[in-house]
């Protein structure tokens, strides 16, 4: 052991002291004694009611500070005080998530204060923590402020408590080796790089993303421009076709405009011709009327001279004869009807005789009725059974839908679990999908991540299990065989580059391991179950949780347990327990045998609260199968019932048809008898109402005789006149000749008049037709003129414009030629289907769009070139210093490993120089001559080897300074004695150089005969019931007593 004079520092610590601490002190000026400190180094740490301390003041040295003490004495409490007083997050410490959990149990508030060295005036940060609302009151140099102000002050001093390269608490030691290459590079940049280095790196990563976005935008716009040009070329052809079609349409429009004018001109010429012809016919009509008038007058006078003779007498006789003929015809018709009725009566009698010979159908009708009633009863039974089956089927269908809904809800809950896993850790979710598709590649059981396969029996207990198991294990795959895990890691981690965790289940099962004490013996404390009994899991998963997390030994209590906690923690077999909202961890010191208790709040479950009862799910699936089977049976029975009902319906229809025929046969005789009686009655009526032709003939003869008598009287009177007539015979002859002449003249005049009347009538009709044609043509002309002006968009009183007159003059003047030309233009226009004015608009729009795109691409390409030039300059400013920094770290790291007779390298790793977010630092180590260099990971090296590599890497960073202090908590616990001694020598040599950053090394024990130097500061932390109060401590008395003890032993 070194014999030089040592710098001795000690802390005034008194756990039972109730001394008060001022709320905030004013910063002191930097003294000459503080000349070895760098800006940001810790000068003083004061704690009150903080974790294990009542009140303590710690004053570390400027170089290496060795904080030594047994487990549970409060070493890590100093680390927590440093972190929380510098506005660090509770997650950095890996202990209680709430800042109120760091206040000593039983106190309402706690207090931490840290004094940092700074030239021109030290910085004092004070934090008062309140348990009730989990809030803090901050003071900076005695003035109240907010947390952001403190964070800015800490950042200005280059302190980064969230950087594992600077601040490595006990719970985070194992995570250093788990850091990815990228995370290690960023932590190194922030820790020892220049202030601009990490900013340049972040800028380059953001710029690279922006560069890719700009490049993709340019590619997209270029591709879009090419497509737009191609569309423009296609639309240009359509545009030319549109204009060609438009020329034909214009010609059609012009022809259609001229056509009404040509029609109007034709109609107007026709109207003029009709008017001339009408006037000519009117003149002819007047002449004919004047010539025909004398003949009509003469004809009327001749007709007056001609009188009728005895026509009246002859007509009366003819009427009497005609009436007699009608009576004869009526008598003939009545005789025919009587004959027909007699024939029909005889036919009906024959049919009636045949019906009388047939047997009686009444018995058969009774049999049919009985069988119909039987069928009706059977059909009622079938319908009742069908109704019962349908009702049962409806009930089963409703039950089936309910079961399917419950099963779907359970499956949806599993989907929700997977969605939560994907949201929290996408790589693990991708690996789960791969495993489901490739499960056949594995020979043993492979369990999906714990958070998917663990199923809580009661969701209220999910928070206990989730707080008890780390998230890394919750997302870990569990394997039964190691070769399966190696195969899985090769495929998923190495080939697919997914960050996943894998676990080997214990060789011997722990799943049914009994607890050390039966739960009944703990019920008096309020415990009602063990953690293992609250969930179900596959055999391998349960075995791992029992072995690793002792879930079969973790009891769960209630409010009674919380009330009796002081008694409960005295039980020797209970190490960890849960109450309603708290987790208690009981730890006994190996040195002082004093029990310390740590309690943390149990937070609500995030992942395991979604519980699916597997037994209930199995029962639901079984019930579902039973329902499906019963439904199939019911369907088969319904089909049988339907076939039976169909047969009954068929037989029922046959019997109804037979009954109808029998009833018709039975009623046929009665119908025939009624018909015969009706016919006979009709016959008698006809015979009684017959006409007596003889009587009618006699009456007719009497009427004729009477007429003849009258005629005889007339003849007698005539004879009397004959004599007179003879006298007049000569006169009559003369009159007859005259009458013959008149008749001839009359006949001639009638013929002439008839011909004249026909001619006059024809001329009248022609004149009327001409009048109608004239009126019609006038109206038609007006309508044609109106339509022509409307087509040409002219006002009613507007004359034909000059441009239309010139255009019309170039077109044909006949309708036939115009129609031929119009058909030709229409045929040509129809050769351009599907083109419209939108094509021209689209073409113009695309032309303008192409110009804008070309301008936009020119600007974007220029912007991208300028941006890449700026990125190139930033890359030079970042990459060259980074390579130099990594080279310096590599040299120191290699030298440290060489001093330990091992090999170690630090390399800047990048697959693509332009992918700035993929840059990382690889740590390669080799601890044995026979082995090869391997990358430092949590799998390839042992815990002690990882601790050595981590410590030496931090030592390599130590000489590069930039951060004011580093904290490493119990990193030497996994090292063997040889490596621990070598690492200690390197640590002392490196951390005790002049003007190096401050170093805190926390350890519960040290090897004997280590080398110490004067620049070291050793802070011993002790506690217990026999500790001397700080105000009674005298170091000279302690040293004197040690020397006396050595003399006695000598």
């Amino acid at each position: 052991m070194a014999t030089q004079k040592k710098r001795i520092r000690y802390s005034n610590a008194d756990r039972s002291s109730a001394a008060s601490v001022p709320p905030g002190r004013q910063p002191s000026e930097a003294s000459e004694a503080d000349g070895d400190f760098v800006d940001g180094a810790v000068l003083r740490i004061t704690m009150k009611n903080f974790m294990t301390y009542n009140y303590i003041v710690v004053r570390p040295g400027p170089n290496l500070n060795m904080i030594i003490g047994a487990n549970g004495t409060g070493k890590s409490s100093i680390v927590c005080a440093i972190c929380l007083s510098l506005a660090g997050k509770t997650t950095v410490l890996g202990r209680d998530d709430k800042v109120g959990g760091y206040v000593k149990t039983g106190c309402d508030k706690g207090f931490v204060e840290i004094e940092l060295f700074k030239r021109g005036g030290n910085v004092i940060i004070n934090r008062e923590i309140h348990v009730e609302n989990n809030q803090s009151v901050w003071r900076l140099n005695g003035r109240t402020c907010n947390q952001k102000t403190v964070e800015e002050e800490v950042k200005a001093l280059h302190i980064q408590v969230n950087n594992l390269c600077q601040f490595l608490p006990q719970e985070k030691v194992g995570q250093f080796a788990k850091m990815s290459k990228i995370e290690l590079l960023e932590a190194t940049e922030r820790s020892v790089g220049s202030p601009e280095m990490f900013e340049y790196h972040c800028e380059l990563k953001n710029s690279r993303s922006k560069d890719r976005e700009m490049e993709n935008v340019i590619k997209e716009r270029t591709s879009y421009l090419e497509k737009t040009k191609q569309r423009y070329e296609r639309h240009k052809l359509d545009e030319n076709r549109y204009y060609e079609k438009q020329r034909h349409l214009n010609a059609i429009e012009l022809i259609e405009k001229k056509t009404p004018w040509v029609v109007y001109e034709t109609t107007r010429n026709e109207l003029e011709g009709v008017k001339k012809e009408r006037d000519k016919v009117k003149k002819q009509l007047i002449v004919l009327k004047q010539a025909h008038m004398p003949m009509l007058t003469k004809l009327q006078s001749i007709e007056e001279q001609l009188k009728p003779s005895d026509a009246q007498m002859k007509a009366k006789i003819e009427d009497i004869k005609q009436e007699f003929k009608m009576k004869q015809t009526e008598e003939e018709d009545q005789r025919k009807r009587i004959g027909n009725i007699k024939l029909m009566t005889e036919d009906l009698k024959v049919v009636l005789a045949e019906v009388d010979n047939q047997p009686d159908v009444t018995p058969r009708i009774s049999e049919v009725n009985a069988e119909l009633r039987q069928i009706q009863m059977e059909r009622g039974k079938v319908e009742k059974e069908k109704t019962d089956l349908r009702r049962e089927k409806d009930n089963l269908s409703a039950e089936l839908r309910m079961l399917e809904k419950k099963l779907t809800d359970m499956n949806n809950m599993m989907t929700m679990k997977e969605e939560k896993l994907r949201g929290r850790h996408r790589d693990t979710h991708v690996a789960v999908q791969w495993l489901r598709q490739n499960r056949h590649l594995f020979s043993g059981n492979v369990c999906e991540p714990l958070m998917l396969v663990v199923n809580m029996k009661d969701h209220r207990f999910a928070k206990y299990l989730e707080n008890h198991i780390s998230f890394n294990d919750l997302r870990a795959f569990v394997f039964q065989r190691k070769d399966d895990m190696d195969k899985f890691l090769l495929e998923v981690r190495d080939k697919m580059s997914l960050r996943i965790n894998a676990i080997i289940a214990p060789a011997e099962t722990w799943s049914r391991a009994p607890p050390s004490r039966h739960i009944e013996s703990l019920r008096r404390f309020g415990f009602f179950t063990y953690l293992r009994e609250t969930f179900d899991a596959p055999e391998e998963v349960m075995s791992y949780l029992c072995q690793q997390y002792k879930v079969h030994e973790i009891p769960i209590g209630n409010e009674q347990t919380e009330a009796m906690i002081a008694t409960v923690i005295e039980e020797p077999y209970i190490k960890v327990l849960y109450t309603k909202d708290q987790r208690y961890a009981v730890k006994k010191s190996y040195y002082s045998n004093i029990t310390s208790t740590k309690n943390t709040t149990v937070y609500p479950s995030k992942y395991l609260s979604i519980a699916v009862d597997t037994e209930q799910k199995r029962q639901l699936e079984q019930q579902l199968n039973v329902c499906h089977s019963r439904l199939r049976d019911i369907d088969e029975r319904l089909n049988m019932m339907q076939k039976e009902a169909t047969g009954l319906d068929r037989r029922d229809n046959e019997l109804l048809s037979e009954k109808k025929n029998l009833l018709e046969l039975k009623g046929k005789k009665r119908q025939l008898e009624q018909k015969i009686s009706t016919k006979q009655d009709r016959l008698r009526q006809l015979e009684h109402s017959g006409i007596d032709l003889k009587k009618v003939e006699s009456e007719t003869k009497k009427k004729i005789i009477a007429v003849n008598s009258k005629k005889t009287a007339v003849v007698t009177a005539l004879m009397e006149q004959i004599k007179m007539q003879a006298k007049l015979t000569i006169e009559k002859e003369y009159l007859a000749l005259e009458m013959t002449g008149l008749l001839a003249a009359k006949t001639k005049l009638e013929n002439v008049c008839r011909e004249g009347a026909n001619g006059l009538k024809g001329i009248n009709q022609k004149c009327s037709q001409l009048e109608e044609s004239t009126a019609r043509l006038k109206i038609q002309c007006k309508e044609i003129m109106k339509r022509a002006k409307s087509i040409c968009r002219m006002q009613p009183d507007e004359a034909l414009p000059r441009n239309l007159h010139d255009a019309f003059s170039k077109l044909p003047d006949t309708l036939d030629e115009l129609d031929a030309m119009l058909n030709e233009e229409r045929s040509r226009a129809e050769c351009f289907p599907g083109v419209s004015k939108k094509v021209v608009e689209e073409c113009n729009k695309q032309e303008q769009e192409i110009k804008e795109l070309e301008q936009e691409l020119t600007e974007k390409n220029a912007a991208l070139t300028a941006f890449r030039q700026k990125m190139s300059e930033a890359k030079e400013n970042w990459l060259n210093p980074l390579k130099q920094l990594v080279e310096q770290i590599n040299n120191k790291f290699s030298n440290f490993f060489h001093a330990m007779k091992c090999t170690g390298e630090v390399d800047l790793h990048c697959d693509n120089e332009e992918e700035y977010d993929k840059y990382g630092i690889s740590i390669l180590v080799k601890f044995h001559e026979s082995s090869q260099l391997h990358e430092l990971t949590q799998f390839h090296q042992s815990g002690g080897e990882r601790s050595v590599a981590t410590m030496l890497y931090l030592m390599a960073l130590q000489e590069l300074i930039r951060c004011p202090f580093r904290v490493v908590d119990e990193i030497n616990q996994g090292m063997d004695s040889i490596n621990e001694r070598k690492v200690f020598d390197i640590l002392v040599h490196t951390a005790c150089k002049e003007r190096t950053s401050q170093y805190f090394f926390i350890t519960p024990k040290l090897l004997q005969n280590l080398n110490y130097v004067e620049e070291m500061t050793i802070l011993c932390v002790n506690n217990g019931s026999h500790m001397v109060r700080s105000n009674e401590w005298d170091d000279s008395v302690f040293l004197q007593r040690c020397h006396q003890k050595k003399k006695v032993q000598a």
Side-chain angles (χ1 to χ4, degrees):
M1 188 171 179
T3 59
Q4 299 118 323
K5 182 180 178 181
K6 307 295 185 299
R7 177 183 301 160
I8 301 174
R9 295 175 179 267
Y10 60 90
S11 299
N12 297 322
D14 183 2
R15 296 181 182 277
S16 61
S17 172
S20 61
V21 178
R25 304 180 183 179
Q26 294 298 323
S28 60
E29 295 293 332
S31 63
E32 293 182 2
D34 299 330
D36 294 335
F37 288 91
V38 298
D39 283 356
V42 179
L43 294 177
R44 173 179 56 83
I45 307 166
T46 302
M47 292 169 275
K48 179 184 178 182
N49 296 334
F50 185 80
M51 296 184 71
T52 59
Y53 294 106
N54 289 339
Y55 175 70
I56 186 173
V57 178
V58 180
R59 298 183 184 277
N63 300 109
L64 177 60
N65 292 273
M66 303 288 293
I67 303 177
I68 306 172
N71 288 329
T73 56
K75 304 184 302 301
S76 296
S77 298
I78 300 174
V79 177
C80 295
I82 295 173
C83 176
L84 296 180
S85 61
L86 295 175
K89 306 295 183 184
T90 55
T91 54
V92 174
L93 300 172
R95 290 173 177 259
D96 201 318
D97 292 340
K98 294 183 178 179
V99 70
Y102 292 87
V103 177
K104 188 172 183 178
T105 305
C107 299
D108 296 332
K109 62 181 179 179
F111 168 91
V112 288
E113 183 176 85
I114 190 168
E115 183 173 359
L116 305 175
F117 176 79
K118 184 178 181 183
R119 287 178 176 78
N122 296 338
V123 176
I124 297 177
I125 301 173
N126 179 293
R127 182 175 189 174
E128 187 177 289
I129 304 170
H130 295 266
V131 177
E132 182 179 0
N133 55 7
N134 205 45
Q135 298 294 322
S136 300
V137 177
W138 293 89
R139 293 182 180 86
L140 179 62
N141 295 331
R143 297 181 179 179
T144 303
C145 63
N146 55 27
Q147 183 174 337
K148 185 176 181 181
T149 305
V150 176
E151 289 174 351
E152 293 173 353
E153 184 67 30
V154 170
K155 183 178 179 181
L157 294 171
H158 306 297
I159 299 173
Q160 305 166 20
V161 292
N162 61 338
N163 189 343
L164 294 183
C165 290
Q166 179 177 349
F167 197 89
L168 191 61
Q170 179 180 351
E171 284 74 9
K172 298 289 184 177
V173 170
Q175 291 191 8
F176 186 87
K178 298 180 183 179
M179 292 175 65
S180 66
K181 301 173 185 177
I182 299 171
E183 293 171 340
L184 184 58
L185 172 61
E186 293 178 353
T188 303
E189 287 177 330
R190 292 198 302 268
S191 179
V192 296
S194 63
E196 299 83 8
M197 180 177 290
F198 184 67
E199 294 177 1
Y200 277 132
H201 191 186
C202 294
E203 180 183 350
L204 283 170
K205 287 191 289 186
N206 296 332
S207 298
R208 178 56 180 161
S209 300
K210 186 177 179 181
D211 177 76
R212 282 195 292 265
E213 291 176 3
M214 294 174 69
E215 187 176 0
N216 290 334
V217 168
I218 289 175
K219 288 181 180 178
E220 291 174 1
R221 303 304 285 172
T222 303
S223 174
Y224 182 69
L225 176 60
E226 293 300 323
K227 293 179 181 178
T228 304
K229 287 183 177 179
Q230 293 172 4
R231 289 198 303 271
Y232 174 73
E233 293 299 327
R234 292 195 298 270
H235 288 159
K236 192 67 178 175
L237 296 175
D238 291 339
E239 183 184 26
N240 295 335
R241 295 173 67 237
Y242 169 77
Y243 284 128
E244 182 67 21
K245 179 180 179 179
Q246 201 61 36
R247 284 194 292 273
H248 294 299
L249 292 177
N250 292 337
I252 291 171
E253 183 181 4
L254 190 61
I255 293 171
E256 289 176 344
K257 285 182 178 179
K258 182 173 181 179
T259 299
W261 292 95
V262 174
V263 172
Y264 169 75
E265 191 65 27
T266 303
T267 306
R268 190 178 63 81
N269 293 334
E270 183 181 357
L271 176 62
E272 293 297 327
V274 169
K275 284 182 178 180
K276 291 180 181 178
E277 186 175 359
R278 182 198 61 185
D279 296 340
K280 182 178 178 182
V281 169
K282 281 184 176 181
K283 292 178 180 178
Q284 292 177 357
L285 181 62
I286 293 171
V287 172
L288 287 174
K289 283 183 177 181
Q290 292 175 354
H292 191 62
M293 186 59 66
M295 287 186 291
L296 289 176
T297 304
K298 189 174 183 180
L299 181 61
Q300 289 175 357
S301 63
I302 292 172
E303 287 177 350
E304 290 177 355
Q305 296 175 12
L306 298 175
K307 301 294 180 180
S309 57
D310 58 347
Q312 293 179 354
M313 193 68 70
K314 292 179 180 180
K316 189 172 182 180
I317 294 173
E318 287 298 326
D319 290 339
I320 293 171
K321 290 181 179 180
Q322 185 66 29
E323 184 179 355
F324 179 73
K325 287 181 181 180
M326 289 176 64
K327 292 290 183 178
Q328 286 179 332
T329 303
E330 184 177 352
E331 178 65 20
E332 185 68 24
D333 290 339
Q334 189 169 4
R335 282 199 302 271
K336 288 180 180 180
R337 283 197 296 274
I338 291 172
N340 291 334
I341 290 174
K342 287 180 179 180
L343 290 175
M344 290 175 66
T345 303
E346 293 299 326
D347 292 339
L348 289 174
K349 288 180 179 180
V350 172
V351 175
L352 181 61
E354 292 176 358
V355 171
D356 290 336
N357 295 330
Q358 291 183 357
D360 189 9
V361 295
T362 304
R364 178 56 186 162
I365 292 175
S366 299
E367 293 175 1
V368 170
N369 287 334
E371 190 172 354
L372 283 172
R373 285 194 296 272
Q374 183 64 28
I375 290 174
Q376 194 66 27
M377 292 173 62
E378 292 179 2
R379 187 160 57 185
K381 291 179 181 179
V382 171
E383 289 298 327
K384 183 177 182 301
E385 187 171 358
K386 284 172 64 177
T387 303
D388 294 339
L389 288 174
R390 289 194 185 100
R391 186 182 300 110
E392 185 179 359
K393 182 178 180 181
D394 292 340
N395 294 336
L396 282 175
S397 299
E399 184 179 357
L400 184 65
R401 288 193 296 273
M402 180 185 69
L403 293 174
E404 288 176 344
K405 183 178 183 301
K406 289 182 178 179
L407 198 59
T408 302
D409 292 341
M410 288 187 173
N411 292 331
N412 290 339
M413 292 171 72
M414 288 300 297
T415 304
M416 289 171 62
K417 275 190 173 184
E418 293 183 20
E419 289 299 321
K420 283 196 173 185
L421 174 62
R422 182 170 66 176
R424 182 67 175 83
H425 204 275
R426 185 176 291 274
D427 284 2
T428 303
H429 184 267
V430 175
V432 168
Q433 303 303 318
W434 182 90
L435 174 63
R436 291 175 179 174
Q437 296 173 4
N438 300 276
R439 195 177 289 273
H440 61 280
L441 301 177
F442 306 100
S443 54
N445 290 338
V446 181
C447 298
E448 294 181 0
L450 271 65
M451 65 183 294
L452 295 182
V453 299
V454 168
N455 188 56
M456 302 304 300
K457 296 179 180 178
D458 191 331
H459 66 89
R460 294 176 298 172
F461 300 134
K463 61 181 180 180
Y464 303 125
L465 185 61
E466 193 167 315
N467 279 270
H468 194 67
I469 303 175
S470 68
F471 180 75
N472 285 336
D473 278 351
L474 281 177
R475 65 180 181 87
F477 295 81
V478 182
F479 292 83
Q480 187 182 29
R481 299 168 56 93
K482 188 176 185 304
D483 55 343
D484 285 343
M485 185 179 77
D486 294 338
K487 185 185 298 182
F488 180 76
L489 293 176
L490 176 66
E491 293 291 336
V492 176
R493 179 181 290 168
D494 297 341
K495 293 184 180 180
M496 298 174 65
S497 300
L498 298 178
R499 298 172 59 190
I500 54 96
N501 289 344
I503 297 169
I504 287 288
E508 296 182 3
T509 181
W510 282 64
S511 61
R512 288 175 292 278
S516 57
R517 298 182 65 183
H518 197 276
I519 192 64
E520 294 299 330
S521 64
L522 299 177
R523 288 194 183 277
R524 67 180 187 276
F525 300 121
F527 293 110
F528 55 88
T529 187
Y530 282 108
L531 186 58
R532 180 178 63 180
E533 310 308 322
T534 63
F535 67 93
D536 293 322
E539 177 74 19
E540 293 78 7
V541 174
M542 185 67 79
S543 181
Y544 172 76
L545 293 178
C546 288
Q547 183 201 46
Q548 185 69 21
Y549 289 97
K550 308 298 180 186
V551 293
H552 62 297
E553 297 280 6
I554 309 299
I556 300 176
N558 50 27
E559 292 85 353
Q560 180 184 351
T561 310
E562 186 74 38
M564 301 175 62
I565 194 63
T567 306
V568 172
I569 61 177
E570 296 297 330
E571 290 293 311
Y573 298 101
I574 299 178
K575 304 298 181 185
V576 179
L577 62 95
Y578 285 93
T579 62
K580 184 177 180 181
D581 297 309
Q582 295 290 323
R583 177 184 187 271
Y584 289 89
V586 182
K587 189 174 183 181
K588 182 173 290 187
S589 175
Y590 293 105
Y591 300 94
S592 61
N593 204 31
I594 294 178
T595 300
S596 62
T597 305
K598 177 184 176 182
N599 68 303
T600 55
T601 302
V602 177
Y603 295 105
S605 171
K606 296 180 181 178
Y607 309 107
L608 300 180
S609 58
I610 303 174
V612 179
D613 191 337
T614 54
E615 178 63 22
Q616 184 184 3
K617 184 178 179 182
R618 186 188 64 76
Q619 292 178 359
L620 284 175
E621 291 174 346
Q622 187 176 358
Q623 292 176 12
L624 204 64
N625 293 332
V626 171
C627 285
H628 281 299
S629 177
R630 291 177 63 189
L631 280 174
R632 286 194 295 271
D633 293 342
I634 290 174
D635 288 336
E636 291 177 0
R637 291 176 62 189
L638 279 173
N639 290 334
M640 292 175 59
M641 292 294 102
Q642 184 61 38
K643 290 180 181 178
E644 186 176 350
T646 303
L648 291 173
D649 289 340
R650 188 184 304 111
R651 180 58 181 161
D652 185 71
N653 292 333
E654 291 174 356
L655 291 173
L656 288 174
S657 178
E658 183 180 356
K659 180 181 178 181
K660 180 181 178 182
N661 294 332
L662 292 173
L663 291 174
E664 288 178 354
L665 186 61
K666 184 178 179 181
K668 190 174 182 180
K669 180 178 179 181
R670 185 169 57 254
Q671 293 175 0
L672 290 172
E673 291 175 349
Q674 290 177 354
K675 287 182 180 180
I676 291 172
S677 176
T678 302
K679 295 297 182 183
Q680 289 176 349
D681 291 342
R682 178 62 176 163
L683 182 61
R684 285 193 293 272
Q685 290 177 1
L686 290 174
E687 288 176 348
H688 284 97
S689 61
I691 299 173
D692 191 355
L693 290 177
K694 292 181 179 180
K695 183 179 179 180
V696 172
E697 184 178 0
S698 175
E699 291 176 355
T700 303
K701 288 180 178 179
K702 288 180 180 180
K703 291 179 180 180
I704 293 173
I705 291 171
V707 171
N708 289 330
S709 298
K710 291 180 181 180
K711 186 177 180 182
T712 301
V714 172
V715 168
T716 303
L718 181 61
M719 290 301 293
E720 292 177 356
Q721 297 295 330
I722 287 174
K723 295 177 181 180
M724 188 179 293
Q725 185 178 4
K727 295 178 181 180
L728 299 173
T729 300
I730 298 171
E731 185 178 358
K732 179 182 177 182
E733 290 297 330
Y734 287 117
L735 289 174
L737 290 175
E738 185 178 357
M739 184 176 179
T740 302
L742 288 172
L743 289 174
K746 176 186 174 185
T747 302
K748 184 177 179 180
L749 286 174
E750 285 178 349
N751 291 333
V752 173
C753 286
R754 189 179 298 109
E755 290 175 0
N758 290 336
L760 184 62
K761 183 178 180 181
I763 291 174
N764 265 327
Q765 290 178 351
K766 187 175 181 180
C767 185
S768 298
Q769 291 175 355
L770 289 175
E771 287 289 347
E772 292 175 358
S773 296
T774 302
R776 178 176 53 79
L777 287 174
K778 285 182 179 180
I779 294 172
Q780 190 174 354
C781 282
K782 290 180 180 180
E783 291 178 352
I784 292 173
M785 174 62 75
K786 183 178 179 180
R787 185 163 61 88
K789 290 188 176 182
S790 174
I791 292 174
C792 295
R793 298 182 180 85
M794 295 170 55
Q795 296 296 327
D797 54 350
E798 184 180 357
L800 186 67
R802 183 66 182 175
N803 58 339
L804 284 179
H805 185 273
D806 295 339
F808 289 167
S809 64
K810 299 176 182 178
L811 296 176
D813 294 327
T814 64
L815 287 176
D816 293 338
E817 292 176 341
L818 283 175
D819 287 340
M821 187 175 182
L822 180 62
N823 292 331
E824 182 181 357
E825 292 296 334
R826 283 177 176 169
S827 299
R828 291 182 180 180
E830 288 173 357
C831 294
F832 303 96
V835 293
S836 63
K837 192 174 182 181
K838 291 183 179 179
V839 174
V840 179
E841 297 174 356
E842 186 67 24
C843 198
N844 295 333
K845 182 180 177 182
Q846 288 177 354
E847 185 177 3
Q848 181 63 28
E849 187 177 7
I850 288 171
K851 293 179 181 178
E852 293 175 355
L853 284 172
E854 289 175 345
Q855 178 65 26
E856 180 185 355
L857 283 174
T858 302
E859 294 174 356
K860 287 187 180 296
N861 281 317
L864 180 60
T865 302
F867 184 74
R868 286 181 172 173
Q869 180 62 32
K870 184 179 178 182
M871 278 182 62
S872 178
E873 295 173 0
K875 179 181 177 182
E876 292 295 327
N877 294 332
W878 170 73
L879 189 57
N880 292 336
L882 177 61
K883 288 180 178 178
Q884 295 174 5
L885 177 63
V886 174
E887 184 63 28
Q888 292 175 7
I889 297 172
N890 178 52
N891 292 336
K892 297 183 182 299
F893 187 75
S894 299
N895 292 336
F896 291 154
F897 262 80
H898 182 70
M900 296 182 63
K901 297 183 179 179
C902 299
T903 305
E905 294 180 1
V906 177
D907 179 41
L908 181 62
H909 174 82
C910 68
D911 296 326
N912 184 353
E913 283 196 1
E914 302 301 324
E915 298 295 333
Y916 302 107
D917 55 344
K918 298 294 190 294
Y919 275 79
I921 286 182
S922 297
I923 300 178
L924 304 174
V925 294
K926 183 178 75 171
F927 288 93
H928 307 286
E929 288 294 335
S930 59
S931 63
Q932 300 293 326
L933 280 171
H934 287 289
E935 186 176 349
L936 179 65
T937 66
Q938 57 178 324
F939 304 107
H940 288 98
Q941 291 81 23
S942 65
E945 289 172 343
R946 293 198 299 271
S947 297
V948 170
T950 301
M951 192 70 184
L952 295 182
Y953 185 80
L954 295 178
M955 288 297 97
L957 300 182
Q958 178 72 11
E959 295 190 356
L960 299 175
I961 312 180
R962 184 152 185 276
C963 62
F965 65 85
R966 285 189 172 83
V967 176
V968 179
D969 190 359
E970 295 191 19
I971 198 173
N972 60 331
Q973 292 305 293
M975 301 182 190
D976 58 70
S977 59
I978 297 174
N979 286 336
E980 184 176 354
R981 188 176 298 276
K982 291 179 180 180
V983 169
F984 184 82
D985 291 340
I986 294 173
L987 173 62
V988 172
H989 175 74
T990 304
C992 293
K993 292 181 179 180
E994 293 184 2
R995 303 303 299 171
T996 187
S997 59
Q998 194 178 31
Y999 207 101
F1000 292 88
F1001 184 76
I1002 296 91
T1003 179
K1005 52 89 178 177
L1006 286 174
L1007 299 174
Q1008 296 180 355
N1009 301 320
L1010 293 174
N1011 294 320
Y1012 297 92
V1013 296
E1014 184 178 358
E1015 287 77 16
M1016 293 174 58
T1017 300
I1018 300 176
L1019 302 171
C1020 297
V1021 182
N1022 293 289
N1023 66 4
S1025 57
H1026 302 290
M1027 279 294 297
V1028 178
R1029 297 173 65 88
S1030 60
N1031 56 0
E1032 298 174 3
W1033 173 262
D1034 190 339
D1035 56 341
S1036 60
V1037 174
F1038 175 76
L1039 292 175
Q1040 184 179 359
R1041 190 162 59 247
C1042 289
H1043 289 308
Q1044 289 175 355
K1045 187 176 181 180
K1046 286 183 179 181
K1047 288 179 181 180
V1048 172
Q1049 291 175 352

